[in-house]
Each structure stands twice: as C-alpha cells, then as structure tokens.
Amino acid sequence: MSNAHDADTRPGRLLLLLPLQAACVAGLGLLVCGPLAGRWPLSAEDGVNRALAARRGVPATALSDVMSVLAGTGSVIGLTLAACVALVWVPRVPRWREAVFLAVSVAAQSAVFVLVTLVVERPRPDVPHLDGAPPTSSFPSGHVGASVALFGGLAVLAAGRLRGARRNVVVGVLLLLPLAVAGSRVYRGMHHPSDVVAGLLNGACTLLVVAYALLLPATGAAPGPAARGGPPATRSGGGGGGGGGGTPSGARGRVVVVRHPHACGRETAARVRAVLRGHGYADQVWEQTSVEEPCGALAVRTAEADASLVVVCGGDGTVRACADVMAGTGIPLAIVPCGTGNLLARNLRLPTDPTAALHEALSGEAVGLDVGRVNGDGFTPTRFVVMAGAGFDAAVVRDASARLKERLGWAAYVVSALRHLRDPRMRLSIRLDGAAPLERRARMVVIGNVGSLQGGLPLLPDARPDSGRLEVVLLDPRGAGGWLAAVGHLASGTRGGRARPAPGGSGRRAARGALEYFSAARIELGFARAQPRELDGDAFPAGTRMTVEVEPGALRVYLPVPARSGTPDEPVTDGAQGAAALAAGD
C-alpha cells in the first residue's frame, strides 16, 4: 500500500516492533535455559558468579548497593517522572515530544520485561544474594533494562541539546551508568552474566525503536509564511476553487469557521484568520463548539451567512459533526487538524501543522468524498468520515482518559487498550449488500471510509474515500500468537484486493485468520449482546444493531493538488483527479 502520509507516519509504525522484540527476547531466554545451557560460554557462568561472590569487599559492595538502588523500580519511576516534569515545566517552550519519548521508553522496556518473564523461568544464581530476590525470572535483568531506558534516554536527549565537551562528559557518564548497574547485579549474585547482557540488549532495542518512532521530526509540508500568520506565498497556475494560484485577489465570499475551543487555541485561531484573509476570505463568521453542539450552530450560520466555505478547526469528532451537517449541501469544507488523532487529515495527506494544512488545502481544489451514514438503536442517524466500530476499539475510545489525551495525544488510547485486551469476544451477524447474513465471533468490527490509523497502520488497506464503497474488518486474534500475527500483518502494509464475500460466505482472511476483510456499500450488523460503539473517535451508546451505508461523493472537501510529475511513483495528475488520487493515497 502507498501510505497516505508516508513521510510523517512510517517512523511511528516502528512501535509495532515492540511485541516482536518481546517474542525475540523470550525466545532467546528459552534457548539460554534449554538447549544452550550446557554450552560455553553459558556453562562458565556459575563459575563467574561464584568467583565474584568469593571476592566481595566493603568498597565494591557499597558501590554495587548504590547502583542497585539507583536502578530499582521506585528510583526509576521517580527519576523518570522528575525528568518528564522538568522537560515540560522548566523550558520556556515545553518539550512534550521529549518527555513522552522518555516515559514511553521506560514503560515499553518494562512491558517487554514483564512479558518475557511470563514465558522464561530462570532461577537466580546459586550464590549468596545481597538483595532480596523478587519472584521473577533471573532472565533478563529488569534493573539493567530499566537503567538503559532511563539513562540511555537521557543520554539521547543530552546529545541533541548539549554541545562541545559538556555534551561528551554528560553523555559519557549517562551511558556508563547502565554498565555499572549490570556489573553490580552480577556482583551481588542477583543475575547471571547472560541475564544482564539480555537486559542491556532489551533496553537498547527499546530505546532505538522508541527514539526513531517519537523523536524523528515530522517531515510533512513545512509551514510557509501562511503558517506563521502572514500572507500565503503566490503560486502560478493551480486551482484554488475560483482564483488562480495560492493568493487570489479580491473577496472570495463569506466563510463560516467552526472552532473547538480547547483543540484550537487563540494563537492557532489568529493564524487561521490570517491565512483565510490571505486567500481572500475577509468576511468570516466564527462559531464555537460545545458538548451540546459539537459543530456549534453550523446549520443556522451557513444559512444565515450564505456561506461559500466552511472551515473546521478541531479533531476528527468535530470534523464528523460538521460533515454530518454539510454532506449533500455542496458547500465545501476545509480541515484545520487540531485534535488528538486527526485521522482524516492524515489519510488525506494534509500537513500536520494546522495553518499549513489550511493554506495547502485552499491552494488546491474541492473534490467530492464519500461519507458513511449510520443507523442504530440508541442514537439518531448520523454520518462519519473516517471509521465506525463496535467492540474492542469502541471500548478503548470510550474509556480513554481525557486528561491523558491532552497530555499524551493518541498514546492515551494505548493505555486504554491495555485495560481491554482480555475483554470477551462478541457474537455478531453481518449482512453485506442484502446478501445472506454471516455469523461470526470477533473482538471488534471496524467499517472504514479511509484505512490508516495512527503511525500509518493500515487497518483497512483497500479503503478509499472516493470508491463508493466501505471496507470492513473483523479482528479476532486467538492468544498471544494471534495478536502477534495480526500486528505483523498490519505492520507489513499487505494488500490483497477487494475483500468481497466469497461464494462460501467468507471474506478475505489474513494473519492466520485473525483478520477477515469485506467490502460493501451497505453493511448490517447485529450483536448478541449490546456492544460499545464509536464513530470517528467519538463514543456512542452501546447497542445491538448498526446499519451503515455509503453516500458516494456527498461531502466536498478542499484538498491540495499534487505537482505534475512524470515519474512512475508520482503519476501525472490534474485538477480534481489529482486531488482525488491524493486523497486515495495512490
């Protein structure tokens, strides 16, 4: 699949390597405890532990005690929290990305460690222990892995911020600490040498994956003058929906701007006003959202103002609410991505910077995109533009902490997902385009108008927002192997063509049956028990029925027009055809 936002999200997809890392470390542990246990150098480990125990002295013991305390669970948690708070509160501009990187590195290493110890059971060395032995496997060393994640993570941050001799000293000291912890754990009789080596590898691999995924700068379109609040740069030719180029002269009609007050702050709102003025939209009517009115009084405002454009400043939930009102009216939308996920904007290849996205979109053309229309027990008919789901994903959306979403962004959903991994499977029936219903068991069902999740994860690789159809996936992994197979398949980005039902009543299966794909214009779902449901990241009341239909081309959305190119990877496109191809991710 050609990812809709390759440059910006491919690094984030690397986080999916962490389950594979856990499996590899566990496999290594089983080899160490089994077939390789009697082979050199593992056969010499007991001798090393006995020799160190026989030569213990007061100074070395005191130093090892300091190292073990420094890398203990309480110390690591406390130091990580202190470092994250310092990164957020001390600098003039909070360093959220760096704080999240450090916290995720320590948490991910700990998660891998816990998973491995569930599989590998290696006894502690048969020598006197200087610490109380916790009821966990000796393989790998949790103290060593945690010290690598914490002090190695601080070394990465220091290397990027400090200069000259100061950087060399600080980074060198930070990198020596995990090695000192490793030596102290063997010296104190708590681990075999291979245990601490595995701890070093586990921490280093976790650090590498998380650093590449979270610290890599976003490489979307760089904000131009418009993104900084000034007039947009002039372009020759192009669409713009009525003006030639990026800065059309003269008034362009009245625009209604829907603003989520928390997602779109005052500074961003001021920049949006400037970009709109630069594109000729001086007559602006601003409408603020609320819990009771997620799109404000949009329907009233567009009628009163005789609007020629609606600008949505918010996340996927705000966009969905506005799309529900504007679908079928012919009035185009321009999206200013300011939310937690911004999945529609990412799938449409809009820049991640809010005002850069607006500038690029208004310099392009308005094209028709599909929307999904949902009926169900417990809520009035409504539309979605990204995905609708029931089961596991809806429970994750429903229970994600609002405070964590403000602090961590989409990573808050990962925390919520961990709480629901052991939720029971659901029984459901699925009817596609009026055919005979299919009976299934699954953990979740997702219906998508677009296909990629955060990190570029292609949950529905065949989904296109201008195809006139909706894609469906049932997720039903069995055990740890099933989850690993599903994650591995999704991370590979494999496509397999349209997933139309086969004569035998099955869709296209993948990942050893953990995933099953379908495609239809109308999908009817029935659940044996009431299931949580979600539309575009908004939780809806639990229910037993959902009917979803596609409305082809019902919503007009401004999208950037790609530059002409004759290369095979960038086919020649023009006008609305180019914008649609861009939206499709081809």
Side-chain angles (χ1 to χ4, degrees), residues 334-388:
I335 300 171
V336 180
C338 300
T340 302
N342 301 317
L343 287 181
L344 181 61
R346 292 176 181 272
N347 276 272
L348 298 179
R349 278 190 184 172
L350 290 171
T352 56
D353 180 84
T355 45
L358 179 60
H359 169 58
E360 291 293 325
L362 295 181
S363 300
E365 295 184 355
V367 300
L369 300 183
D370 305 339
V371 297
R373 183 176 178 85
V374 185
N375 289 278
D377 55 323
F379 60 84
T380 58
T382 187
R383 296 179 174 92
F384 69 93
V385 290
V386 180
M387 297 176 188

Side-chain angles (χ1 to χ4, degrees), residues 276-336:
L276 288 172
R277 285 196 299 268
H279 280 270
Y281 291 100
D283 192 354
Q284 304 173 19
V285 177
W286 285 69
E287 183 67 23
Q288 187 164 292
T289 69
S290 64
V291 175
E292 295 77 19
E293 294 184 306
C295 63
L298 178 59
V300 175
R301 294 299 187 192
T302 51
E304 292 178 348
D306 191 21
S308 60
L309 172 68
V310 172
V311 174
V312 185
C313 304
D316 289 315
T318 306
V319 174
R320 184 202 64 78
C322 293
D324 189 28
V325 173
M326 303 312 299
T329 66
I331 301 175
L333 291 180
I335 300 171
V336 180

